[in-house]
Amino acid sequence: FFFSSRRRHTRCSGVSWARRCVQETGITVSQFGFCLGIGSKPYLQVIQFKSQFNQAKEFELYGHQASVNSLYVSQKDQTLFSGSYDQTIRQWNLQSRQCITTITLESMPSSFCLISLDSVLAYSLTNQNVIYLNNFTNKGQQTIQLPQYHDSLIRQVVSVPQNQHFLLSGSINGVAALWDTQQKTVLAIFDQIKSSITKIIISSDGVSAFIGYDLSLIHI
């Protein structure tokens, strides 16, 4: 597949569609055949495709009151999480196209992921250097805060495959931390990254990761 988040027309293996949004800020794909783009409008534009791309269906999800800035797709079921400038994270059922959970935050989310068998949402905020865990499957939506380790703003929070309680966080001063969220402790520190950590890509086996603007390789 080829995806571009910098053009008004996005091409998906030969199929393109004109975005209603002026600017795209991200694209993600789930194993259920959904391609999701984030735009500058307070809604999500969703492209559903199966085996043949020329039969793609397009629909929109409404609920946010401001622009959407981040996405996460659960690999467990057909649910999508979207973060917005309206200081909320919403959970969507992509089959019914309905919002099923809304988490209200203190400020705009910068990054989030699912851990603990997709039952806990880990997230960071744009103006803070701590990580929060929200048990959104509980009606009470209990939120706890991990001990503060980073001394600068956190820009990435990524779950580690093959371990349901581990996550990797990265901050703007080039420091990454491997967490055991169950024990609420830092297991390893990676402070040799040469750039602000705005991207973390972890291998499917959870053994290694590419971190930062220059994608430095680390072994977890």
Side-chain angles (χ1 to χ4, degrees):
F1 305 137
F2 170 75
F3 300 103
S4 171
S5 60
R6 297 182 180 179
R7 301 178 181 178
R8 295 182 63 182
H9 297 270
T10 304
R11 189 166 300 278
C12 180
S13 186
V15 174
S16 63
W17 65 92
R19 291 286 181 183
R20 295 182 184 178
C21 305
V22 175
Q23 179 183 9
E24 297 169 0
T25 55
I27 294 175
T28 187
V29 178
S30 82
Q31 62 181 345
F32 300 99
F34 289 89
C35 173
L36 308 119
I38 320 170
S40 59
K41 301 292 184 181
Y43 59 79
L44 301 175
Q45 196 165 22
V46 180
I47 307 299
Q48 178 186 2
F49 57 86
K50 293 303 181 182
S51 58
Q52 296 189 13
F53 296 100
N54 58 1
Q55 297 180 358
K57 298 179 181 179
E58 180 179 350
F59 58 91
E60 295 163 353
L61 301 175
Y62 289 88
H64 283 295
Q65 303 302 308
S67 301
V68 176
N69 74 320
S70 49
L71 290 175
Y72 188 90
V73 178
S74 170
Q75 298 304 314
K76 182 180 179 180
D77 53 25
Q78 294 189 46
T79 58
L80 161 73
F81 290 81
S82 59
S84 170
Y85 287 92
D86 65 8
Q87 300 184 16
T88 66
I89 295 176
R90 288 178 176 264
Q91 180 188 17
W92 306 84
N93 184 306
L94 293 178
Q95 188 171 17
S96 66
R97 305 180 186 179
Q98 298 296 316
C99 176
I100 54 181
T101 304
T102 300
I103 302 171
T104 302
L105 311 174
E106 296 178 9
S107 63
M108 186 181 70
S110 60
S111 180
F112 50 86
C113 65
L114 294 177
I115 57 175
S116 302
L117 299 177
D118 284 6
S119 64
V120 174
L121 182 73
Y123 65 88
S124 59
L125 303 176
T126 55
N127 62 348
Q128 296 185 19
N129 57 349
V130 294
I131 298 170
Y132 296 91
L133 305 179
N134 181 285
N135 185 1
F136 65 92
T137 58
N138 187 324
K139 291 185 178 180
Q141 290 188 8
Q142 180 182 7
T143 300
I144 64 172
Q145 177 182 316
L146 292 180
Q148 182 175 332
Y149 172 78
H150 289 282
D151 57 9
S152 61
L153 301 178
I154 298 173
R155 285 294 176 263
Q156 284 286 290
V157 177
V158 180
S159 58
V160 178
Q162 312 303 326
N163 194 307
Q164 59 176 315
H165 301 298
F166 284 16
L167 64 81
L168 196 61
S169 60
S171 59
I172 61 174
N173 66 343
V175 175
L178 177 65
W179 295 82
D180 182 335
T181 59
Q182 191 172 38
Q183 300 298 322
K184 301 180 180 62
T185 58
V186 174
L187 302 177
I189 305 301
F190 308 93
D191 56 3
Q192 303 300 316
I193 311 303
K194 299 179 181 179
S195 62
S196 174
I197 300 177
T198 57
K199 176 63 68 176
I200 296 178
I201 304 173
I202 302 180
S203 61
S204 59
D205 57 9
V207 173
S208 57
F210 292 95
I211 294 183
Y213 179 80
D214 56 355
L215 295 180
S216 299
L217 176 63
I218 66 170
H219 297 285
I220 301 174

Short mmCIF file of all heavy atoms in Angstrom, two decimals, residues 26-68:
data_model
loop_
_atom_site.label_atom_id
_atom_site.label_comp_id
_atom_site.label_asym_id
_atom_site.label_seq_id
_atom_site.Cartn_x
_atom_site.Cartn_y
_atom_site.Cartn_z
N GLY A 26 -2.81 12.22 9.55
CA GLY A 26 -2.42 10.85 9.85
C GLY A 26 -3.32 9.83 9.20
O GLY A 26 -4.46 10.11 8.87
N ILE A 27 -2.80 8.63 9.04
CA ILE A 27 -3.55 7.52 8.45
C ILE A 27 -3.17 6.26 9.19
O ILE A 27 -2.03 6.06 9.57
CB ILE A 27 -3.22 7.35 6.95
CG1 ILE A 27 -3.72 8.56 6.16
CG2 ILE A 27 -3.85 6.09 6.40
CD1 ILE A 27 -3.34 8.52 4.70
N THR A 28 -4.14 5.39 9.42
CA THR A 28 -3.85 4.10 10.03
C THR A 28 -4.72 3.04 9.38
O THR A 28 -5.74 3.35 8.77
CB THR A 28 -4.07 4.12 11.55
OG1 THR A 28 -3.61 2.90 12.12
CG2 THR A 28 -5.54 4.32 11.90
N VAL A 29 -4.33 1.78 9.51
CA VAL A 29 -5.05 0.68 8.88
C VAL A 29 -5.25 -0.42 9.89
O VAL A 29 -4.36 -0.75 10.67
CB VAL A 29 -4.25 0.12 7.68
CG1 VAL A 29 -4.99 -1.06 7.06
CG2 VAL A 29 -4.02 1.20 6.64
N SER A 30 -6.43 -1.00 9.91
CA SER A 30 -6.70 -2.13 10.80
C SER A 30 -6.77 -3.41 9.98
O SER A 30 -6.94 -3.38 8.76
CB SER A 30 -8.02 -1.93 11.56
OG SER A 30 -9.11 -2.30 10.75
N GLN A 31 -6.70 -4.52 10.66
CA GLN A 31 -6.74 -5.81 9.98
C GLN A 31 -8.13 -6.12 9.42
O GLN A 31 -8.31 -7.07 8.68
CB GLN A 31 -6.34 -6.92 10.96
CG GLN A 31 -7.27 -7.05 12.16
CD GLN A 31 -6.83 -8.13 13.10
OE1 GLN A 31 -6.01 -8.97 12.75
NE2 GLN A 31 -7.37 -8.13 14.30
N PHE A 32 -9.11 -5.31 9.75
CA PHE A 32 -10.45 -5.54 9.27
C PHE A 32 -10.72 -4.81 7.96
O PHE A 32 -11.84 -4.79 7.47
CB PHE A 32 -11.47 -5.10 10.33
CG PHE A 32 -11.33 -5.85 11.62
CD1 PHE A 32 -10.65 -5.29 12.68
CD2 PHE A 32 -11.83 -7.13 11.75
CE1 PHE A 32 -10.50 -5.98 13.87
CE2 PHE A 32 -11.68 -7.83 12.93
CZ PHE A 32 -11.01 -7.25 14.01
N GLY A 33 -9.68 -4.18 7.39
CA GLY A 33 -9.83 -3.55 6.10
C GLY A 33 -10.32 -2.13 6.15
O GLY A 33 -10.95 -1.67 5.21
N PHE A 34 -10.02 -1.42 7.21
CA PHE A 34 -10.41 -0.02 7.31
C PHE A 34 -9.19 0.86 7.19
O PHE A 34 -8.19 0.65 7.86
CB PHE A 34 -11.10 0.28 8.64
CG PHE A 34 -12.47 -0.31 8.78
CD1 PHE A 34 -12.62 -1.59 9.29
CD2 PHE A 34 -13.59 0.39 8.39
CE1 PHE A 34 -13.88 -2.14 9.42
CE2 PHE A 34 -14.85 -0.15 8.53
CZ PHE A 34 -15.00 -1.43 9.04
N CYS A 35 -9.27 1.86 6.33
CA CYS A 35 -8.22 2.87 6.21
C CYS A 35 -8.81 4.16 6.75
O CYS A 35 -9.85 4.60 6.27
CB CYS A 35 -7.80 3.04 4.76
SG CYS A 35 -6.66 4.40 4.48
N LEU A 36 -8.17 4.75 7.75
CA LEU A 36 -8.76 5.88 8.45
C LEU A 36 -7.86 7.09 8.36
O LEU A 36 -6.68 7.02 8.69
CB LEU A 36 -9.02 5.51 9.91
CG LEU A 36 -9.82 4.20 10.05
CD1 LEU A 36 -9.01 3.18 10.80
CD2 LEU A 36 -11.12 4.47 10.72
N GLY A 37 -8.41 8.20 7.93
CA GLY A 37 -7.63 9.42 7.83
C GLY A 37 -8.12 10.46 8.81
O GLY A 37 -9.31 10.54 9.09
N ILE A 38 -7.22 11.26 9.33
CA ILE A 38 -7.58 12.34 10.24
C ILE A 38 -7.49 13.64 9.48
O ILE A 38 -6.56 13.88 8.73
CB ILE A 38 -6.60 12.42 11.42
CG1 ILE A 38 -6.23 11.03 11.91
CG2 ILE A 38 -7.18 13.23 12.54
CD1 ILE A 38 -5.12 11.05 12.90
N GLY A 39 -8.44 14.51 9.70
CA GLY A 39 -8.42 15.77 9.00
C GLY A 39 -8.57 16.96 9.93
O GLY A 39 -8.65 16.82 11.14
N SER A 40 -8.62 18.13 9.34
CA SER A 40 -8.71 19.36 10.12
C SER A 40 -10.14 19.67 10.53
O SER A 40 -10.40 20.63 11.22
CB SER A 40 -8.16 20.53 9.30
OG SER A 40 -8.89 20.66 8.10
N LYS A 41 -11.10 18.85 10.10
CA LYS A 41 -12.49 19.02 10.51
C LYS A 41 -12.78 18.14 11.73
O LYS A 41 -12.07 17.17 11.97
CB LYS A 41 -13.43 18.63 9.36
CG LYS A 41 -13.23 19.44 8.10
CD LYS A 41 -13.64 20.89 8.29
CE LYS A 41 -13.54 21.66 6.98
NZ LYS A 41 -13.92 23.08 7.14
N PRO A 42 -13.83 18.47 12.50
CA PRO A 42 -14.13 17.68 13.71
C PRO A 42 -14.88 16.38 13.40
O PRO A 42 -15.89 16.07 14.02
CB PRO A 42 -14.99 18.64 14.54
CG PRO A 42 -15.67 19.48 13.53
CD PRO A 42 -14.66 19.68 12.43
N TYR A 43 -14.44 15.64 12.40
CA TYR A 43 -15.00 14.33 12.13
C TYR A 43 -13.92 13.44 11.54
O TYR A 43 -12.87 13.92 11.10
CB TYR A 43 -16.21 14.42 11.19
CG TYR A 43 -15.93 15.04 9.84
CD1 TYR A 43 -15.33 14.31 8.82
CD2 TYR A 43 -16.30 16.36 9.58
CE1 TYR A 43 -15.08 14.88 7.59
CE2 TYR A 43 -16.06 16.93 8.35
CZ TYR A 43 -15.45 16.19 7.35
OH TYR A 43 -15.21 16.76 6.13
N LEU A 44 -14.16 12.15 11.51
CA LEU A 44 -13.22 11.19 10.94
C LEU A 44 -13.74 10.75 9.58
O LEU A 44 -14.92 10.45 9.43
CB LEU A 44 -13.08 9.97 11.85
CG LEU A 44 -12.61 10.24 13.28
CD1 LEU A 44 -12.64 8.96 14.08
CD2 LEU A 44 -11.21 10.82 13.25
N GLN A 45 -12.85 10.67 8.63
CA GLN A 45 -13.21 10.18 7.30
C GLN A 45 -12.66 8.76 7.18
O GLN A 45 -11.47 8.53 7.36
CB GLN A 45 -12.63 11.07 6.22
CG GLN A 45 -13.26 10.86 4.85
CD GLN A 45 -12.91 11.99 3.92
OE1 GLN A 45 -11.94 12.69 4.11
NE2 GLN A 45 -13.71 12.18 2.88
N VAL A 46 -13.54 7.81 6.91
CA VAL A 46 -13.19 6.40 6.94
C VAL A 46 -13.37 5.79 5.56
O VAL A 46 -14.38 6.01 4.90
CB VAL A 46 -14.05 5.64 7.95
CG1 VAL A 46 -13.68 4.16 7.99
CG2 VAL A 46 -13.91 6.25 9.34
N ILE A 47 -12.37 5.05 5.12
CA ILE A 47 -12.45 4.30 3.87
C ILE A 47 -12.44 2.82 4.20
O ILE A 47 -11.50 2.32 4.80
CB ILE A 47 -11.26 4.62 2.94
CG1 ILE A 47 -11.14 6.14 2.74
CG2 ILE A 47 -11.42 3.91 1.61
CD1 ILE A 47 -12.33 6.78 2.10
N GLN A 48 -13.51 2.13 3.86
CA GLN A 48 -13.61 0.69 4.11
C GLN A 48 -13.35 -0.05 2.80
O GLN A 48 -14.02 0.18 1.81
CB GLN A 48 -14.99 0.33 4.64
CG GLN A 48 -15.16 -1.17 4.88
CD GLN A 48 -16.58 -1.52 5.28
OE1 GLN A 48 -17.44 -0.66 5.35
NE2 GLN A 48 -16.83 -2.78 5.53
N PHE A 49 -12.34 -0.91 2.81
CA PHE A 49 -12.06 -1.68 1.61
C PHE A 49 -11.83 -3.14 2.00
O PHE A 49 -11.34 -3.45 3.07
CB PHE A 49 -10.84 -1.14 0.86
CG PHE A 49 -9.59 -1.08 1.68
CD1 PHE A 49 -8.75 -2.17 1.79
CD2 PHE A 49 -9.25 0.09 2.36
CE1 PHE A 49 -7.59 -2.12 2.55
CE2 PHE A 49 -8.09 0.15 3.11
CZ PHE A 49 -7.26 -0.95 3.20
N LYS A 50 -12.19 -4.02 1.10
CA LYS A 50 -11.99 -5.45 1.35
C LYS A 50 -10.96 -5.97 0.35
O LYS A 50 -9.84 -5.51 0.32
CB LYS A 50 -13.32 -6.20 1.24
CG LYS A 50 -14.30 -5.82 2.35
CD LYS A 50 -13.72 -6.07 3.74
CE LYS A 50 -14.72 -5.70 4.82
NZ LYS A 50 -14.18 -5.88 6.18
N SER A 51 -11.34 -6.87 -0.51
CA SER A 51 -10.37 -7.48 -1.42
C SER A 51 -10.11 -6.61 -2.65
O SER A 51 -9.01 -6.61 -3.18
CB SER A 51 -10.84 -8.87 -1.85
OG SER A 51 -12.11 -8.78 -2.48
N GLN A 52 -11.11 -5.86 -3.08
CA GLN A 52 -10.94 -5.06 -4.29
C GLN A 52 -11.05 -3.58 -3.93
O GLN A 52 -12.07 -3.12 -3.41
CB GLN A 52 -11.99 -5.43 -5.34
CG GLN A 52 -11.84 -6.87 -5.82
CD GLN A 52 -12.74 -7.16 -7.00
OE1 GLN A 52 -13.27 -6.25 -7.60
NE2 GLN A 52 -12.88 -8.43 -7.33
N PHE A 53 -10.01 -2.81 -4.23
CA PHE A 53 -9.93 -1.43 -3.81
C PHE A 53 -10.92 -0.53 -4.55
O PHE A 53 -11.33 0.50 -4.06
CB PHE A 53 -8.51 -0.91 -4.00
CG PHE A 53 -7.52 -1.63 -3.14
CD1 PHE A 53 -6.73 -2.64 -3.65
CD2 PHE A 53 -7.39 -1.29 -1.81
CE1 PHE A 53 -5.82 -3.30 -2.85
CE2 PHE A 53 -6.48 -1.95 -0.99
CZ PHE A 53 -5.69 -2.95 -1.51
N ASN A 54 -11.32 -0.94 -5.77
CA ASN A 54 -12.25 -0.09 -6.51
C ASN A 54 -13.67 -0.22 -5.98
O ASN A 54 -14.58 0.41 -6.50
CB ASN A 54 -12.20 -0.42 -8.01
CG ASN A 54 -12.54 -1.88 -8.28
OD1 ASN A 54 -12.82 -2.64 -7.37
ND2 ASN A 54 -12.50 -2.25 -9.56
N GLN A 55 -13.89 -1.02 -4.96
CA GLN A 55 -15.19 -1.15 -4.34
C GLN A 55 -15.19 -0.56 -2.92
O GLN A 55 -16.01 -0.92 -2.09
CB GLN A 55 -15.62 -2.62 -4.29
CG GLN A 55 -15.78 -3.25 -5.67
CD GLN A 55 -16.20 -4.71 -5.61
OE1 GLN A 55 -16.32 -5.27 -4.53
NE2 GLN A 55 -16.42 -5.31 -6.76
N ALA A 56 -14.26 0.33 -2.67
CA ALA A 56 -14.14 0.94 -1.35
C ALA A 56 -15.38 1.78 -1.02
O ALA A 56 -15.96 2.42 -1.90
CB ALA A 56 -12.88 1.80 -1.28
N LYS A 57 -15.77 1.75 0.25
CA LYS A 57 -16.89 2.55 0.73
C LYS A 57 -16.35 3.63 1.67
O LYS A 57 -15.45 3.40 2.45
CB LYS A 57 -17.89 1.67 1.47
CG LYS A 57 -18.52 0.58 0.61
CD LYS A 57 -19.48 -0.26 1.43
CE LYS A 57 -20.11 -1.35 0.58
NZ LYS A 57 -21.04 -2.19 1.39
N GLU A 58 -16.95 4.80 1.59
CA GLU A 58 -16.50 5.93 2.40
C GLU A 58 -17.62 6.40 3.31
O GLU A 58 -18.78 6.47 2.91
CB GLU A 58 -16.05 7.08 1.50
CG GLU A 58 -15.58 8.30 2.25
CD GLU A 58 -15.11 9.40 1.31
OE1 GLU A 58 -14.98 9.12 0.10
OE2 GLU A 58 -14.88 10.51 1.80
N PHE A 59 -17.28 6.66 4.58
CA PHE A 59 -18.27 7.23 5.50
C PHE A 59 -17.54 8.09 6.53
O PHE A 59 -16.32 8.09 6.61
CB PHE A 59 -19.11 6.15 6.18
CG PHE A 59 -18.33 5.14 6.98
CD1 PHE A 59 -18.08 5.33 8.33
CD2 PHE A 59 -17.86 3.97 6.38
CE1 PHE A 59 -17.37 4.39 9.06
CE2 PHE A 59 -17.15 3.03 7.11
CZ PHE A 59 -16.91 3.24 8.46
N GLU A 60 -18.30 8.82 7.31
CA GLU A 60 -17.72 9.75 8.27
C GLU A 60 -18.28 9.47 9.66
O GLU A 60 -19.42 9.00 9.80
CB GLU A 60 -18.01 11.20 7.86
CG GLU A 60 -17.33 11.58 6.55
CD GLU A 60 -17.92 12.83 5.92
OE1 GLU A 60 -18.94 13.32 6.45
OE2 GLU A 60 -17.37 13.30 4.91
N LEU A 61 -17.48 9.75 10.68
CA LEU A 61 -17.88 9.58 12.07
C LEU A 61 -17.90 10.95 12.74
O LEU A 61 -16.89 11.65 12.75
CB LEU A 61 -16.90 8.65 12.80
CG LEU A 61 -16.75 7.23 12.22
CD1 LEU A 61 -15.66 6.47 12.97
CD2 LEU A 61 -18.07 6.47 12.29
N TYR A 62 -19.05 11.31 13.30
CA TYR A 62 -19.20 12.62 13.91
C TYR A 62 -19.34 12.50 15.43
O TYR A 62 -19.92 11.54 15.94
CB TYR A 62 -20.44 13.33 13.35
CG TYR A 62 -20.28 13.78 11.92
CD1 TYR A 62 -20.59 12.93 10.87
CD2 TYR A 62 -19.80 15.04 11.63
CE1 TYR A 62 -20.44 13.34 9.55
CE2 TYR A 62 -19.64 15.47 10.31
CZ TYR A 62 -19.97 14.61 9.28
OH TYR A 62 -19.81 15.02 7.98
N GLY A 63 -18.83 13.48 16.15
CA GLY A 63 -18.94 13.50 17.60
C GLY A 63 -17.96 14.46 18.25
O GLY A 63 -18.29 15.12 19.23
N HIS A 64 -16.75 14.54 17.69
CA HIS A 64 -15.77 15.48 18.22
C HIS A 64 -16.21 16.92 17.95
O HIS A 64 -16.84 17.21 16.93
CB HIS A 64 -14.40 15.22 17.60
CG HIS A 64 -13.68 14.05 18.18
ND1 HIS A 64 -13.27 14.00 19.49
CD2 HIS A 64 -13.29 12.87 17.62
CE1 HIS A 64 -12.66 12.84 19.72
NE2 HIS A 64 -12.67 12.14 18.61
N GLN A 65 -15.84 17.81 18.85
CA GLN A 65 -16.18 19.22 18.72
C GLN A 65 -15.03 20.05 18.16
O GLN A 65 -15.15 21.27 18.01
CB GLN A 65 -16.61 19.77 20.08
CG GLN A 65 -17.78 19.03 20.70
CD GLN A 65 -19.01 19.04 19.81
OE1 GLN A 65 -19.43 20.11 19.36
NE2 GLN A 65 -19.57 17.87 19.56
N ALA A 66 -13.90 19.42 17.89
CA ALA A 66 -12.74 20.11 17.34
C ALA A 66 -11.95 19.12 16.50
O ALA A 66 -12.29 17.93 16.42
CB ALA A 66 -11.87 20.70 18.45
N SER A 67 -10.88 19.58 15.87
CA SER A 67 -10.08 18.75 14.96
C SER A 67 -9.53 17.51 15.66
O SER A 67 -9.19 17.54 16.84
CB SER A 67 -8.92 19.57 14.40
OG SER A 67 -9.39 20.70 13.73
N VAL A 68 -9.44 16.44 14.91
CA VAL A 68 -8.88 15.17 15.40
C VAL A 68 -7.39 15.16 15.13
O VAL A 68 -6.95 15.54 14.05
CB VAL A 68 -9.57 13.99 14.71
CG1 VAL A 68 -8.94 12.67 15.13
CG2 VAL A 68 -11.07 13.99 15.01
#
